[in-house]
Amino acid sequence: DAGVIQSPRHEVTEMGQEVTLRCKPISGHNSLFWYRQTMMRGLELLIYFNNNVPIDDSGMPEDRFSAKMPNASFSTLKIQPSEPRDSAVYFCASSLKGVRTDTQYFGPGTRLTVL
Amino acid sequence: GQSLEQPSEVTAVEGAIVQINCTYQTSGFYGLSWYQQHDGGAPTFLSYNALDGLEETGRFSSFLSRSDSYGYLLLQELQMKDSASYFCAVRDLGYSTLTFGKGTMLLVSP
């Protein structure tokens, strides 16, 4: 089975540009999560979707960040305009809510560098 | 909110046993998970405890004491490939969200 798919794997952009990160969750999973990982702040939850509906977006840093999940097999995280402090690895994860462990399966991540 | 404390780094030699502790403070607790992350890779699930006691999965075991808000991950017969970061994470009541600790980097030497 294919795992969580993310694209691009690496993104280098200049400050002020729009960045769009993409995620395809595992088929059949009903929960999707976007995380950001940096050395300073660790692994932070940005937003959580259940059945394509945003449930908790309290981790979204500011209005420059937005996330959508138009259907069960696709989600995007957009940063507009990007800033150097947004440089991080962004992970998408999916899970099947209701299973005992709610194990989250992470994608390979997108390493974002904003110059 | 939630906060988790775990050591930043642990070192050990091949074949040894190592324990990584995690203490947590949370307004609502459902379970404690452990994830492994190799350098440059993605976090992968190792184990989950919802009830007090020990869960064993091969060389790895995880323990939880809800009354002490404490858990640990025990790695036995350490191998070089176990060198990685290990994260404890608490699951929120109601939601499926996880709050992760800052991670413990385990360095296994020959």
Side-chain angles (χ1 to χ4, degrees):
Chain A
D1 285 341
V4 175
I5 299 172
Q6 291 187 246
S7 64
R9 295 291 308 275
H10 301 272
E11 176 82 26
V12 181
T13 190
E14 292 188 347
M15 183 174 63
Q17 297 298 306
E18 177 179 293
V19 175
T20 299
L21 311 181
R22 297 172 175 81
C23 175
K24 177 178 169 57
I26 292 173
S27 177
H29 281 187
N30 54 15
S31 295
L32 184 139
F33 310 83
W34 282 101
Y35 291 90
R36 178 174 66 178
Q37 186 174 37
T38 61
M39 287 295 293
M40 289 296 294
R41 300 174 69 90
L43 196 59
E44 304 173 278
L45 176 67
L46 299 177
I47 188 168
Y48 156 53
F49 291 88
N50 183 242
N51 292 324
N52 313 338
V53 176
I55 303 299
D56 181 2
D57 65 354
S58 59
M60 294 287 263
E62 49 199 90
D63 292 346
R64 297 185 298 107
F65 285 67
S66 62
K68 294 182 179 180
M69 192 165 186
N71 56 61
S73 59
F74 184 65
S75 177
T76 59
L77 177 68
K78 186 175 293 187
I79 309 172
Q80 165 64 17
S82 58
E83 297 182 2
R85 60 191 168 125
D86 301 330
S87 297
V89 180
Y90 291 81
F91 288 103
C92 174
S94 70
S95 72
L96 183 60
K97 184 175 170 59
V99 174
R100 175 179 165 265
T101 64
D102 270 2
T103 299
Q104 294 189 15
Y105 296 85
F106 284 74
T110 296
R111 183 173 295 274
L112 173 65
T113 302
V114 183
L115 303 174
Chain B
Q2 285 128 332
S3 67
L4 299 97
E5 292 288 332
Q6 52 181 131
S8 59
E9 188 173 305
V10 173
T11 58
V13 296
E14 269 189 304
I17 299 172
V18 72
Q19 178 174 313
I20 299 173
N21 299 320
C22 174
T23 58
Y24 59 87
Q25 290 184 324
T26 177
S27 54
F29 178 83
Y30 198 91
L32 184 71
S33 299
W34 289 91
Y35 283 75
Q36 178 192 60
Q37 184 179 28
H38 285 99
D39 191 30
T44 56
F45 173 79
L46 287 177
S47 69
Y48 174 77
N49 295 72
L51 303 175
D52 287 357
L54 194 67
E55 293 274 348
E56 297 181 74
T57 308
R59 294 187 297 115
F60 295 0
S61 303
S62 58
F63 172 82
L64 176 66
S65 169
R66 295 173 69 110
S67 60
D68 295 324
S69 298
Y70 164 76
Y72 66 73
L73 179 69
L74 190 73
L75 297 87
Q76 303 182 72
E77 300 173 18
L78 281 174
Q79 302 174 9
M80 296 292 288
K81 66 178 182 178
D82 297 328
S83 292
S85 291
Y86 293 84
F87 296 85
C88 58
V90 292
R91 181 183 158 190
D92 221 321
L93 271 176
Y95 288 167
S96 293
T97 59
L98 294 174
T99 300
F100 284 82
K102 289 291 177 63
T104 298
M105 184 177 295
L106 171 63
L107 301 173
V108 180
S109 57

